[in-house]
Amino acid sequence: MANPKTSDVSPAAGAFARPASDLRLFDAWTLVGATRQPPLQPALTAETLLAEMDRCGVDEAMVSSASVDGASPVDTNPALSIFRAASERLHPIYHILPTCTGEIVLDTFFDDMRTNGVRALAADPEAHRYLLNGLTFGDLFEAMIEKRVPLYLKSDWSVVTAVLKEFPELIVIVRDLGSWGADRFCRPILDAFPNVHVEISTYKLDGGVPALLERYGPERILYGSGYHTCAMGGPAMRLRNLDIDRDAKEQIAHGNLERLLREARP
Amino acid sequence: MKPRTSSPIVRELLETGRITSFPVIDAHGHMGTWPAIWFPNSDAQQMIHTMDRCGVSTLVFSHHNALQDPQTGNETAQQEIDRFPDRLIGYYAVNARYPENIREITRNFSRLRGFAGYKILAAYNKTPITLPEYAPLWAHAHEEKRPVLLHTWGGDTCAGWRQVKEIAERYPDARILMGHSQYGDWDEAISLAKEFPNVFCELTAAGDVNGVVQKMVDDGIEEKMLFGTDLPWFDPMHLIGVIACSRISDAARKRILHDNAAELFSRWLSC
Ligand SMILES: [Zn+2]
């Protein structure tokens, strides 16, 4: 085998921020459960998810049901209790439905969230066929604002923008920004709505996070992996080795999410 | 917390922020702006800074401009290779819609400095790699055992597995790098890499899919897998992290991150 002509890499590692090998990581977005088109290595059990977290050095994780593509949240929400029961490291995310059909009744819904340790919600308007607006969700969103419960939204930017225009005080976590960069979409939203956060599992853009940090500070950037669709090891190592200061890394890795969950009072 | 691992490679990555026992070689990069995205680090100097941070010694790349305008874009790539000859190797980007450019460059490839082979973005140009316009390129790559990096994606009819199979049979000495490893058509990509000694799976984007790296290694193609990032698109540390945390051996990690590319590009790495 030929030797590469560049056997060393310069400059020395000391020119960059120290890697954070012992960083506490709280994954803001993982998926579990059976789906119609399962990924290569689906996480069907808490044991599978926890083993992956151990291997990648992830301390805790928000857990969302991957089954919502083909099953109703009426069934997938309670199914997440197995994960919470399995480990205190796992924190379920419920999916919302409109209250108009009676599938969700506001009071009991928040009671249920409290009982089951749920402090964040997610919406999938495409899979569950509803309009994500005040007409459909005004009662729920007003309650979420009052209770400071965050809502996860996929990076469908026109939907995100419309929701925020109607409910600027809603705490929103935009997930899965995508690997095609998202700055032209997300920056105007981050500029206009201080309650918006971005989850960076698929935001792999080289230099992207440091640039967001410079413009917005670390408070609204959340580490996530997108596991079981995406490999868990990538986002974790990317964050550990970013050339940014340790405090910012800690906030992105776990501090911001912990603050959001602490402040949520379902 | 720290990852639970007994791998010396992962440990040095965690302790120093990069792999120190061997340099990583990136077989799939670009350079310059791209219309659909804003890049913070898209010029050669910035990209090399990223490579330094991540322990990447060498990037094999095609310039974004060359994918649009082969004539001037490849000239820009040449200038950057001349500026950083020990860090950059070129793929000369071609498009069957500029057939005269293909005929000219295949006759005069020796005038280029630091270019290993070719890059075809067939799906974007809507030009199947089996078109007669590409024949001089394949003949040249076959004759001189040169690499050709293809953008390949599951279901694609321009550089999908069927077209790659046809070319691999016809030009057994051309080194065919399936960029993105026929994303989604994993079994077909693995079969091609197993069947044809001249077909390789390059992992940009593909490796980020949970389980793909392990599946390829388990299926026996660790000697045909190549690390890639599409830099300036993706932070190299993302895929390095995936490979580090995949359930594979350190020997396989080193093959993917270094050895396979070092063998494939040895003529350009050592000249
Ligand atoms: Zn590419």
Side-chain angles (χ1 to χ4, degrees):
Chain A
M1 190 194 78
N3 286 321
K5 62 189 166 187
T6 314
S7 55
D8 283 320
V9 175
S10 60
F16 301 97
R18 288 277 310 149
S21 59
D22 56 345
L23 192 64
R24 172 173 158 69
L25 289 168
F26 193 158
D27 190 331
W29 186 252
T30 68
L31 293 155
V32 292
T35 62
R36 289 172 179 167
Q37 294 178 306
L40 281 176
Q41 293 179 345
L44 300 178
T45 65
E47 289 67 34
T48 307
L49 172 58
L50 289 164
E52 194 68 11
M53 289 164 64
D54 288 343
R55 236 155 31 73
C56 299
V58 175
D59 297 78
E60 297 186 49
M62 300 297 286
V63 182
S64 165
S65 175
S67 309
V68 291
D69 65 342
S72 168
V74 169
D75 298 316
T76 60
N77 287 343
L80 287 170
S81 60
I82 297 168
F83 289 84
R84 184 179 177 244
S87 171
E88 288 179 348
R89 297 165 65 192
L90 306 180
H91 307 268
I93 300 169
Y94 277 1
H95 271 75
I96 61 169
L97 288 173
T99 53
C100 61
T101 52
E103 291 167 286
I104 279 183
V105 178
L106 276 195
D107 290 343
T108 53
F109 188 60
F110 286 113
D111 285 345
D112 178 10
M113 285 174 67
R114 274 196 302 278
T115 308
N116 289 295
V118 179
R119 289 169 175 273
L121 297 168
D124 192 338
E126 210 181 314
H128 303 145
R129 288 172 46 78
Y130 54 66
L131 292 175
L132 195 69
N133 58 22
L135 207 57
T136 312
F137 285 102
D139 50 357
L140 178 62
F141 288 174
E142 292 299 347
M144 287 175 70
I145 289 168
E146 191 210 313
K147 294 169 185 295
R148 297 190 64 77
V149 171
L151 179 67
Y152 282 87
L153 294 177
K154 206 162 68 178
S155 60
D156 182 336
W157 299 104
S158 43
V159 171
V160 172
T161 307
V163 168
L164 287 163
K165 275 190 166 172
E166 249 188 301
F167 300 94
E169 288 171 84
L170 192 64
I171 298 167
V172 167
I173 300 170
V174 186
R175 65 171 178 86
D176 192 5
L177 267 58
S179 52
W180 277 67
D183 292 81
R184 292 174 188 163
F185 289 114
C186 76
R187 285 183 177 213
I189 294 171
L190 286 165
D191 285 336
F193 303 104
N195 286 333
V196 172
H197 303 70
V198 288
E199 176 276 313
I200 55 170
S201 54
T202 54
Y203 181 76
K204 302 178 291 177
L205 177 67
D206 180 46
V209 170
L212 281 181
L213 200 61
E214 200 179 311
R215 186 174 166 104
Y216 300 103
E219 293 81 9
R220 296 194 281 157
I221 307 172
L222 305 181
Y223 152 77
S225 73
Y227 176 82
H228 62 179
T229 310
C230 306
M232 191 181 274
M237 197 68 78
R238 170 158 54 89
L239 180 59
R240 286 180 204 282
N241 289 328
L242 268 188
D243 192 20
I244 60 175
D245 75 54
R246 178 73 191 225
D247 284 351
K249 223 177 258 187
E250 296 278 357
Q251 287 190 66
I252 295 168
H254 64 94
N256 296 333
L257 180 57
E258 286 164 346
R259 187 191 67 242
L260 290 177
L261 298 181
R262 207 169 41 238
E263 289 173 3
R265 297 179 308 272
Chain B
M1 68 188 197
K2 286 187 177 174
R4 201 165 286 171
T5 179
S6 57
S7 153
I9 289 179
V10 179
R11 269 196 239 122
E12 74 187 36
L13 184 56
L14 289 166
E15 278 157 25
T16 68
R18 54 192 182 180
I19 296 166
T20 49
S21 53
F22 57 86
V24 174
I25 300 173
D26 186 337
H28 184 168
H30 299 285
M31 191 178 288
T33 60
W34 183 257
I37 183 172
W38 169 73
F39 293 126
N41 300 326
S42 67
D43 73 31
Q45 190 72 64
Q46 290 169 319
M47 287 168 54
I48 284 168
H49 184 80
T50 292
M51 290 160 62
D52 288 339
R53 174 172 62 80
C54 300
V56 177
S57 65
T58 310
L59 175 74
V60 196
F61 80 107
S62 57
H63 201 287
H64 280 136
N65 294 350
L67 299 168
Q68 179 76 3
D69 176 356
Q71 200 61 53
T72 59
N74 286 306
E75 278 167 26
T76 309
Q78 179 69 78
Q79 288 161 16
E80 299 301 347
I81 293 167
D82 290 342
R83 267 175 84 201
F84 302 101
D86 59 340
R87 306 299 297 275
L88 300 175
I89 294 171
Y91 293 113
Y92 191 98
V94 296
N95 176 351
R97 297 184 188 278
Y98 299 91
E100 180 49 42
N101 172 258
I102 296 176
R103 284 194 295 272
E104 192 275 325
I105 198 61
T106 50
R107 281 196 301 264
N108 300 302
F109 204 84
S110 60
R111 74 172 162 78
L112 301 172
R113 298 168 302 281
F115 279 81
Y118 298 97
K119 159 85 179 187
I120 310 177
L121 193 60
Y124 284 55
N125 306 330
K126 298 194 168 50
T127 56
I129 56 171
T130 47
L131 283 177
E133 286 84 344
Y134 286 124
L137 173 157
W138 290 116
H140 179 232
H142 167 73
E143 227 165 80
E144 298 187 1
K145 299 181 168 55
R146 288 183 182 272
V148 180
L149 175 64
L150 302 172
H151 172 94
T152 71
W153 211 264
D156 177 28
T157 52
C158 288
W161 64 269
R162 288 182 184 81
Q163 292 77 37
V164 170
K165 188 175 165 66
E166 194 180 322
I167 293 293
E169 281 168 349
R170 218 186 302 162
Y171 303 98
D173 283 333
R175 303 328 194 212
I176 304 169
L177 278 54
M178 295 188 293
H180 314 296
S181 299
Q182 301 288 353
Y183 192 104
D185 285 349
W186 311 120
D187 288 322
E188 289 81 357
I190 292 167
S191 296
L192 284 175
K194 279 177 116 159
E195 185 181 350
F196 296 98
N198 61 328
V199 174
F200 297 80
C201 285
E202 184 280 318
L203 292 170
T204 299
D208 306 343
V209 176
N210 184 31
V212 164
V213 169
Q214 190 192 336
K215 177 179 171 59
M216 286 182 174
V217 172
D218 287 351
D219 287 357
I221 62 159
E222 70 180 57
E223 300 194 352
K224 307 300 284 296
M225 297 163 70
L226 298 165
F227 174 79
T229 63
D230 258 341
L231 199 69
W233 289 72
F234 307 137
D235 184 336
M237 202 45 77
H238 190 101
L239 185 55
I240 290 173
V242 172
I243 292 165
C245 293
S246 290
R247 277 169 288 196
I248 59 175
S249 67
D250 262 6
R253 291 189 181 101
K254 183 163 177 282
R255 278 235 143 255
I256 300 165
L257 291 164
H258 173 269
D259 295 354
N260 296 335
E263 287 167 17
L264 197 57
F265 295 100
S266 61
R267 285 148 68 191
W268 300 280
L269 286 164
S270 53
C271 65

